[in-house]
Amino acid sequence: ITHLLYCCHLEWRCSNMGHTSLDKIKALQKNPANVRNLCILAHVDHGKTTLADSLVASNGIISSRLAGKVREKDYLINLIDSPGHVDFSSEVSTAVRLCDGAIVIVDAVEGVCPQTQAVLRQAWLENIRPVLVINKIDRLIMELKLTSQEAYTHLQKILEQVNAVTGSLFTSKVLEDRAVKEERAEEDKEEGDIEPAECRGSEQVYDWSAGLEDSDDSQLYFSPDQGNVVFASAIDGWGFSIQQFAQIHSQRMGIRAEVLLKTLWGDFYLNAKAKKIMKGAHAKGKKPLFVQLVLDNIWSLYDAVVTRRDKEKIEKMMMSLGVKVMTRDSRHSDPKVLLSAICSQWLPVSQAVLFMVCDKLPSPLDMTSERIERLMSVGARRFHSLPLQTQELKTAFMQCSSDDTAPVIVFVSKMFTVDAKALPQNKQRPLTQEEMAQRRELARQRHTERLAAIQQTESGEGNSQSGSSDGVSGQMQALPLKAKPEEEEEKETFVAFARVYSGVVRRGQKVFVMGPKYDPAQGLRMLPEGSTSVSDCLPPVPHLACCTMDSLYLLMGRELEELEEVPSGNVLGIGGLEECVLKSATLSTSPALPPFIPLNFEATPIVRVAIEPKHPSEMPKLVRGMRLLNQADPCAEVLIQETGEHVLVTAGEVHLQRCLDDLRERFAKIEISASKPIIPFRETVIRPPKVDMVNEDLGKQQKVAVLHQVKESDTLHLDPSGLVTLTTPNRQATVGVRAIPLPEEVTLLLEGSSDLIRTLEQAGQAQREGRTLDMSTWTLDALMGLKSRLEALLQGRKWRNAVDRIWAFGPRRYGPNILLNSVEGYQRPSVWHCLEREKEGGKAEASAIRDFDNSVVSGFQLATLSGPMCEEPLMGVCFSVERWDMNFPTQRTHLDSVTEEDSNSLDASVEAGLVDCYGPFSGQLIAAVKEACRHAFQAKPQRLMAAMYTCEIMATAEVLGRVYGVLGKREGRVLQEEMKEGTEMFIIKAVLPVAESFGFADEIRKRTSGLASPQLVFSHWEVISSDPSWVPSTEEEYLHFGEKADSANQALKYMNAVRRRKGLYVEEKIVEHGEKQRTLSKNK
């Protein structure tokens, strides 16, 4: 699996030429119209790297037969190969951001697979144009044994599958744009503007298809007659587009190439008598033109070379094609060698793909305004709401100008490491003739001196001993000197993988680094007017830094070439940014530029392991290595837990293994120990179940198994309805809390809106501190939309006015749990108060907030961060505070019953801050709220929530049963099973707990002899139905499970494993029976 992005430069010229010089590439970089930035995207094992190798090996050299027949033009192609495994989809995102086009590869047998859909979606989200290569067509001939007619039908179905994915993305975008337009029209109508034409009239008819007919989708779909599809077999070295066959057959048949181009793909056939191309091949039972003129030729070649090995027929074919092969290829025992030699000359795959790339994919000059606006609309901001100076930068993007006056705009998509000795400045340069002559002279002198020394040693024994001792000491002195450069060579240097969108980047140039939270409006206000250049004397601006680009590199595969400058539209490597850029960044000479939108990652980091060095003394090396790994991998996360453990978070099992190997071999270079994967869980409460474990109706009575009994004390009281009342140890505050399960839709909404909730919390915090937080109209609308959706979902008597009474979200103030204010007589401001204030222009009056209000919120945050079951975060729980009484002692002038000493201590305690929000009472209230929430949680039926993978497996009918067996053994659940049309492959869609996924892919492959391979992607959190604290309580349960009820409880197993790992108490029986066990020898 390609872990690091692989970038190379090809110069493709339509004539015979050798390898390209560096000066030629520099000249080509200055003409962006002939630059193509593209990446190769595909599902794992569909032939990406094989195709990339074919393109790189050719270096753009085309066959001599076509030289002179096509126009003379030079192209510079920046080609980026990307990994196909779902765990490395973050690498695909970093590649796609820098490109204008993509080659999407699809296996001719497997068709559209899960990762194919994912990469098409990523290309769509980044607004880059894809072209299609249907690869491995040789498998249709050799493996599936299809006829040319059957293969044509099969290829049509694959095209339909790919176009269906693209069509669904297009439809959703059109409908989304239409919804935005209608929203704006409504806003204009409210402001008193002219009513739009489509809304006029007494009756308004809603047409779901409106907008789809008007939208131009002519360039959207893949079709061979449009020239954006190539049929290939990269392993055998051949590939073609129908343009090539149209030109070949137009001369032979006397039919214009334009006519053949339109009819070679489709329901057309050749009427031999009339010498005309006619429609209706399928209805009349005729061979389609594509089968007759294209596929039949390829099928007959495979039949002659591979199947029959007919030498006479092969020679005839080679003569008719004008192909000459070497004698050793024709005599080779493997027929595929001869086949590859013939095909690579007749239909070279590199030629077909490069023609399509240069003709169909856009240059940097063709960047659409839609893509530019989307790149600049980060977070909740929209392009039209950005400052005017920022909007003017759009023209710099569109022009892709390399003038000195154009602002420099660069995006760094990832940081990758290179050995310091691999850098051009550290490489040994080739010697000149003079230097070589000098070295020869020095070598002669040393040789003469050595001969003289040998003659001296032969003259006397004493001299020889002293000479040898001097030699040893000389060697010993030389040893430490050699060690220093070796240490330097081991250093890893970071190079930024970037693209220039505007201006010319020069070595040593200073640029601004825009942080992800940088606001250009704030930056323009704080910087002096007219200060567009980067200098050291500028005032500090939040999230804006300055850095110097120390060196610029041309990326030539694994090789780097140093450059002085890089013009707009090109991909490059930048050295010296490791201190300023963590993973990705936006660089510019203009402070008006906003940071680009974050990269869209398909995979979510979910798998955690704790890492430690085998030798504790090497801990500093591990810390440095993990820091380097965190910077080099776009998806990996490195963190230190409260326990002090160094934790690595990755996207999956394969990604985890790759990261551990990188740590051992590249970054830390030490032996490390990794724990078993730390599986994340969530804790939640559910409604009391209506049936017991044997599906018997529970009736109205409450069972011990349903409600976990809370032990009452003098400070803790549990109401039968589930209300927990708890008093602080100093008896000065009492809180009453009830836990209520949130509807599943609300939990999902809160989880998906974490960024909006974080913005809401920041606005509320700013308002409490007397500051104002600038929020765009779009952000306010999004927050109001979130509020209205919550109101729509929280319906019913118990949720009346619940949204307006939300006190806080948690954990960390933006999680999927809610604290509700149900205290009678306490009208605290809602979390939405800052929105109302913004809408009314800051005139809304703030209600009074009680003292210690923040202590209650802090207690709730702590309770939701670690639940009572196994200290995991809570999810989908609403804590309603129904009582909050505070009873402070009053200071009196004279107390008969209290001694003077006691009175002084009481006065001192009051003065010490019983009513101080940061005094000792605050800590007691936080602890009381936290404990009340935990007990209220335990008073409800509690459940664990497991992280779930979506699992897609492609398998043949023979191994289907084994796949089901492995899924069942690992608690998997099959959702869907369908047969892939035209093949013997079944697609199984299932869900699998992350906890059971380790070793799953290997086990599937072993059990199916490699015929099935799963793709696992994190999907959602799911409640485990079994109660971890369940014990049999009804007669039916005793009969079914027995008195011990020791059958496997999955939730209890998970819970105890987490508690054991965290060092918490685990309730388990070490010895079950005290009787002595008899051995077989004594059992007589």
Side-chain angles (χ1 to χ4, degrees):
I1 293 168
T2 311
H3 182 51
L4 290 173
L5 292 171
Y6 180 76
C7 181
C8 64
H9 291 246
L10 300 174
E11 187 216 353
W12 184 52
R13 186 174 182 177
C14 300
S15 61
N16 282 325
M17 55 166 290
H19 288 285
T20 314
S21 67
L22 185 61
D23 293 333
K24 184 68 176 175
I25 290 177
K26 288 179 182 176
L28 286 170
Q29 283 186 333
K30 293 177 181 176
N31 183 12
N34 289 354
V35 173
R36 297 290 183 272
N37 300 313
L38 61 113
C39 53
I40 301 181
L41 311 175
H43 185 80
V44 66
D45 237 6
H46 278 202
K48 293 179 302 302
T49 307
T50 310
L51 182 66
D53 289 347
S54 301
L55 300 179
V56 173
S58 72
N59 197 25
I61 300 170
I62 69 167
S63 65
S64 56
R65 293 179 300 107
L66 283 171
K69 294 179 184 177
V70 289
R71 66 182 185 272
E72 189 83 9
K73 208 167 187 181
D74 291 342
Y75 284 95
L76 179 68
I77 298 173
N78 298 322
L79 180 70
I80 306 172
D81 191 11
S82 65
H85 196 282
V86 67
D87 281 9
F88 301 109
S89 59
S90 58
E91 302 284 1
V92 177
S93 302
T94 57
V96 166
R97 172 59 62 86
L98 302 185
C99 296
D100 301 303
I103 301 173
V104 178
I105 304 177
V106 176
D107 190 315
V109 174
E110 294 182 6
V112 175
C113 292
Q115 194 62 11
T116 314
Q117 297 180 14
V119 296
L120 281 168
R121 184 164 57 251
Q122 282 175 303
W124 179 268
L125 289 172
E126 291 287 346
N127 286 92
I128 69 169
R129 190 182 300 170
V131 290
L132 182 67
V133 174
I134 300 179
N135 194 23
K136 301 191 181 184
I137 292 182
D138 59 295
R139 291 183 67 192
L140 302 179
I141 307 169
M142 306 307 297
E143 288 181 28
L144 299 188
K145 310 285 185 189
L146 299 183
T147 64
S148 53
Q149 178 69 48
E150 290 168 344
Y152 171 66
T153 311
H154 182 78
L155 292 171
Q156 278 185 316
K157 286 174 181 171
I158 288 176
L159 266 176
E160 286 171 9
Q161 290 170 9
V162 179
N163 286 331
V165 176
T166 315
S168 64
L169 293 167
F170 173 72
T171 306
S172 61
K173 177 182 174 293
V174 169
L175 294 175
E176 187 182 330
D177 290 347
R178 184 187 170 211
V180 171
K181 282 180 185 175
E182 286 185 354
E183 193 179 320
R184 284 183 187 169
E186 283 178 14
E187 286 175 9
D188 293 344
K189 189 179 175 183
E190 284 173 9
E191 290 169 11
D193 291 352
I194 300 166
E195 191 177 354
E198 59 266 22
C199 298
R200 290 174 193 158
S202 56
E203 236 179 85
Q204 185 178 351
V205 179
Y206 194 88
D207 182 13
W208 284 100
S209 63
L212 288 172
E213 288 89 350
D214 305 332
S215 304
D216 179 27
D217 60 350
S218 57
Q219 299 297 317
L220 178 71
Y221 298 109
F222 300 105
S223 180
D225 56 4
Q226 287 188 8
N228 58 2
V229 179
V230 161
F231 303 93
S233 170
I235 197 73
D236 288 339
W238 61 266
F240 65 89
S241 62
I242 62 169
Q243 279 85 344
Q244 291 170 259
F245 276 95
Q247 288 173 356
I248 292 167
H249 290 294
S250 66
Q251 296 170 357
R252 291 181 183 177
M253 299 168 63
I255 300 172
R256 283 185 301 125
E258 295 81 15
V259 175
L260 274 174
L261 192 61
K262 290 179 181 177
T263 56
L264 255 178
W265 182 264
D267 194 25
F268 299 95
Y269 71 98
L270 180 64
N271 189 329
K273 291 180 181 177
K275 290 189 178 179
K276 285 184 179 180
I277 295 171
M278 306 184 78
K279 200 170 185 179
H282 181 70
K284 295 175 184 176
K286 302 283 186 179
K287 266 189 183 181
L289 214 56
F290 187 75
V291 176
Q292 188 177 350
L293 301 182
V294 180
L295 293 186
D296 279 351
N297 293 326
I298 295 168
W299 256 245
S300 58
L301 180 65
Y302 268 82
D303 180 60
V305 177
V306 181
T307 311
R308 296 186 183 179
R309 302 197 186 187
D310 190 338
K311 288 186 179 180
E312 290 181 11
K313 194 173 181 182
I314 292 168
E315 285 176 7
K316 284 180 183 177
M317 284 183 164
M318 285 165 60
M319 283 185 67
S320 65
L321 295 173
V323 171
K324 291 180 181 179
V325 296
M326 296 173 70
T327 311
R328 69 177 184 188
D329 290 340
S330 60
R331 291 178 179 176
H332 204 283
S333 57
D334 185 1
K336 280 290 188 101
V337 174
L338 176 58
L339 179 76
S340 183
I342 296 169
C343 291
S344 59
Q345 291 182 56
W346 176 39
L347 298 170
V349 65
S350 56
Q351 175 195 315
V353 173
L354 291 172
F355 260 115
M356 177 174 69
V357 162
C358 296
D359 192 36
K360 292 297 172 185
L361 292 186
S363 71
L365 291 171
D366 302 325
M367 185 180 279
T368 60
S369 60
E370 185 183 2
R371 184 183 181 194
I372 296 164
E373 289 180 11
R374 192 174 182 281
L375 282 175
M376 296 170 75
S377 303
V378 67
R381 291 175 291 204
R382 286 200 177 173
F383 183 76
H384 60 79
S385 67
L386 292 167
L388 193 62
Q389 286 173 269
T390 303
Q391 294 186 40
E392 287 171 0
L393 288 173
K394 181 179 173 181
T395 55
F397 274 97
M398 299 285 283
Q399 291 169 357
C400 194
S401 173
S402 298
D403 295 338
D404 291 337
T405 55
V408 172
I409 299 173
V410 178
F411 182 75
V412 176
S413 73
K414 74 167 286 180
M415 304 289 286
F416 64 94
T417 52
V418 177
D419 270 342
K421 59 186 177 185
L423 294 173
Q425 56 265 38
N426 298 338
K427 277 188 180 178
Q428 291 184 346
R429 60 183 179 82
L431 298 173
T432 61
Q433 292 292 333
E434 293 84 5
E435 288 172 333
M436 289 171 73
Q438 286 175 2
R439 292 202 175 191
R440 274 196 298 270
E441 188 62 34
L442 284 169
R444 284 196 197 101
Q445 288 176 8
R446 280 198 300 269
H447 183 65
T448 308
E449 289 170 4
R450 199 179 297 116
L451 286 172
I454 290 169
Q455 287 173 0
Q456 284 180 0
T457 53
E458 287 175 354
S459 62
E461 188 178 338
N463 292 337
S464 68
Q465 285 177 355
S466 64
S468 63
S469 64
D470 289 344
V472 171
S473 64
Q475 287 175 3
M476 289 178 71
Q477 287 172 2
L479 281 173
L481 294 173
K482 286 182 180 177
K484 287 180 182 177
E486 281 177 14
E487 286 174 12
E488 289 173 12
E489 283 176 2
E490 286 180 0
K491 281 187 179 178
E492 294 273 351
T493 306
F494 274 103
V495 175
F497 190 42
R499 172 177 167 178
V500 187
Y501 286 90
S502 171
V504 180
V505 176
R506 293 182 173 84
R507 191 169 71 169
Q509 187 176 17
K510 285 191 173 183
V511 287
F512 290 116
V513 181
M514 282 73 182
K517 294 181 181 177
Y518 172 67
D519 184 3
Q522 185 184 21
L524 291 169
R525 276 200 309 270
M526 294 181 71
L527 291 170
E529 196 170 342
S531 64
T532 54
S533 61
V534 186
S535 62
D536 297 326
C537 57
L538 292 174
V541 179
H543 312 293
L544 185 71
C546 297
C547 73
T548 306
M549 294 183 279
D550 295 337
S551 45
L552 308 177
Y553 301 109
L554 180 70
L555 306 171
M556 299 284 289
R558 292 181 178 274
E559 302 296 319
L560 297 174
E561 294 289 345
E562 203 162 12
L563 298 172
E564 288 299 318
E565 62 176 39
V566 178
S568 179
N570 289 282
V571 175
L572 78 158
I574 306 174
L577 298 183
E578 57 265 26
E579 298 300 324
C580 309
V581 178
L582 180 61
K583 290 176 186 275
S584 62
T586 309
L587 315 177
S588 180
T589 52
S590 169
L593 182 74
F596 284 10
I597 58 169
L599 295 166
N600 177 56
F601 293 155
E602 290 282 322
T604 310
I606 192 76
V607 179
R608 299 174 173 230
V609 288
I611 295 173
E612 62 182 17
K614 283 203 172 176
H615 306 292
S617 60
E618 294 179 324
M619 179 58 86
K621 288 185 180 179
L622 176 68
V623 172
R624 179 182 173 275
M626 291 187 78
R627 183 177 58 78
L628 293 174
L629 175 67
N630 183 46
Q631 196 165 5
D633 195 304
C635 197
E637 293 177 9
V638 171
L639 49 98
I640 300 175
Q641 288 193 323
E642 294 86 351
T643 55
E645 289 178 307
H646 288 76
V647 174
L648 175 65
V649 194
T650 58
E653 197 176 1
V654 181
H655 187 209
L656 170 64
Q657 193 57 49
R658 175 74 260 171
C659 289
L660 292 177
D661 289 345
D662 281 347
L663 263 180
R664 290 189 185 101
E665 296 164 15
R666 295 175 57 202
F667 299 131
K669 293 182 180 176
I670 58 170
E671 291 184 26
I672 58 173
S673 299
S675 70
K676 288 183 179 178
I678 301 169
I679 314 299
F681 289 95
R682 296 289 183 267
E683 301 179 23
T684 190
V685 292
I686 60 167
R687 291 182 178 183
K690 295 179 181 177
V691 293
D692 62 10
M693 292 291 283
V694 288
N695 290 330
E696 292 287 336
D697 192 5
L698 280 171
K700 293 181 181 178
Q701 71 273 22
Q702 294 287 349
K703 298 291 180 188
V704 181
V706 176
L707 286 182
H708 182 79
Q709 293 298 308
V710 178
K711 291 180 181 178
E712 295 192 13
S713 63
D714 55 343
T715 59
L716 175 67
H717 174 68
L718 172 64
D719 192 82
S721 64
L723 178 68
V724 171
T725 309
L726 196 134
T727 308
T728 55
N730 60 7
R731 311 282 177 168
Q732 289 173 359
T734 305
V735 288
V737 180
R738 187 191 307 276
I740 310 165
L742 282 172
E744 188 180 351
E745 298 84 2
V746 175
T747 308
L748 290 172
L749 177 62
L750 294 177
E751 195 180 13
S753 309
S754 56
D755 290 336
L756 272 177
I757 296 170
R758 198 186 279 117
T759 306
L760 182 69
E761 171 60 30
Q762 287 169 358
Q765 184 71 26
Q767 187 177 318
R768 286 192 292 275
E769 292 172 3
R771 296 183 289 110
T772 55
L773 186 72
D774 292 335
M775 283 196 292
S776 67
T777 314
W778 190 89
T779 311
L780 288 169
D781 291 344
L783 286 167
M784 292 304 290
L786 173 64
K787 183 182 178 184
S788 59
R789 275 180 286 166
L790 281 172
E791 286 170 345
L793 291 170
L794 292 173
Q795 296 289 341
R797 186 174 54 83
K798 67 177 178 179
W799 298 112
R800 190 175 297 148
N801 299 327
V803 177
D804 290 323
R805 291 187 286 116
I806 292 176
W807 200 330
F809 298 94
R812 298 186 179 89
R813 297 184 178 266
Y814 58 86
N817 303 285
I818 290 175
L819 180 66
L820 214 59
N821 174 26
S822 302
V823 181
E824 198 173 336
Y826 181 32
Q827 300 295 327
R828 78 176 300 281
S830 166
V831 289
W832 315 101
H833 181 71
C834 57
L835 300 184
E836 293 160 14
R837 187 169 180 174
E838 290 282 345
K839 288 280 182 185
E840 295 170 17
K843 294 177 183 177
E845 292 183 8
S847 308
I849 295 180
R850 267 175 148 183
D851 290 335
F852 305 105
D853 182 279
N854 206 37
S855 300
V856 176
V857 174
S858 299
F860 162 73
Q861 300 296 341
L862 289 171
T864 51
L865 190 60
S866 57
M869 294 170 73
C870 51
E871 303 292 331
E872 289 289 296
L874 304 191
M875 188 172 187
V877 185
C878 171
F879 289 107
S880 176
V881 181
E882 299 187 3
R883 183 182 172 191
W884 181 22
D885 301 330
M886 286 194 293
N887 179 28
F888 293 117
T890 54
Q891 188 176 355
R892 285 175 286 181
T893 54
H894 180 70
L895 289 171
D896 296 328
S897 58
V898 180
T899 62
E900 190 178 346
E901 188 180 349
D902 291 341
S903 177
N904 291 339
S905 66
L906 180 67
D907 294 344
S909 66
V910 173
E911 287 168 12
L914 281 175
V915 289
D916 177 18
C917 291
Y918 301 104
F921 174 68
S922 171
Q924 289 197 12
L925 185 57
I926 290 172
V929 172
K930 177 189 171 185
E931 287 304 312
C933 288
R934 287 170 76 97
H935 287 306
F937 182 92
Q938 289 178 303
K940 293 285 181 182
Q942 41 189 344
R943 296 287 185 272
L944 270 185
M945 294 182 80
M948 303 297 284
Y949 275 138
T950 299
C951 171
E952 296 208 14
I953 308 169
M954 292 185 68
T956 56
E958 294 83 32
V959 297
L960 208 57
R962 296 175 197 170
V963 171
Y964 273 78
V966 176
L967 277 169
K969 173 185 164 188
R970 291 176 174 266
E971 306 291 329
R973 191 173 72 254
V974 176
L975 303 176
Q976 186 183 354
E977 177 201 300
E978 59 181 19
M979 192 170 185
K980 207 169 184 71
E981 198 173 350
T983 68
E984 296 178 358
M985 304 294 286
F986 282 86
I987 301 174
I988 302 157
K989 293 184 181 177
V991 288
L992 182 78
V994 174
E996 302 289 344
S997 67
F998 300 98
F1000 173 71
D1002 287 339
E1003 188 176 358
I1004 283 271
R1005 276 193 286 269
K1006 284 175 188 172
R1007 292 287 300 275
T1008 62
S1009 306
L1011 293 174
S1013 184
Q1015 289 268 309
L1016 300 171
V1017 185
F1018 175 70
S1019 171
H1020 64 284
W1021 295 91
E1022 190 172 285
V1023 177
I1024 302 172
S1025 57
S1026 55
D1027 182 2
S1029 58
W1030 175 82
V1031 288
S1033 57
T1034 63
E1035 190 178 343
E1036 290 81 4
E1037 287 176 345
Y1038 274 113
L1039 286 169
H1040 191 272
F1041 294 102
E1043 189 177 344
K1044 280 170 58 182
D1046 55 357
S1047 58
N1049 183 337
Q1050 200 67 23
L1052 181 64
K1053 185 184 89 172
Y1054 291 150
M1055 187 179 84
N1056 284 346
V1058 176
R1059 292 184 71 89
R1060 202 174 286 114
R1061 177 174 59 79
K1062 292 184 176 181
L1064 303 172
Y1065 172 68
V1066 177
E1067 189 177 341
E1068 57 184 349
K1069 293 179 181 176
I1070 308 298
V1071 179
E1072 292 194 359
H1073 302 289
E1075 293 91 356
K1076 184 180 177 182
Q1077 184 180 356
R1078 291 185 297 177
T1079 59
L1080 289 173
S1081 59
K1082 291 182 181 180
N1083 189 14
K1084 295 180 181 177

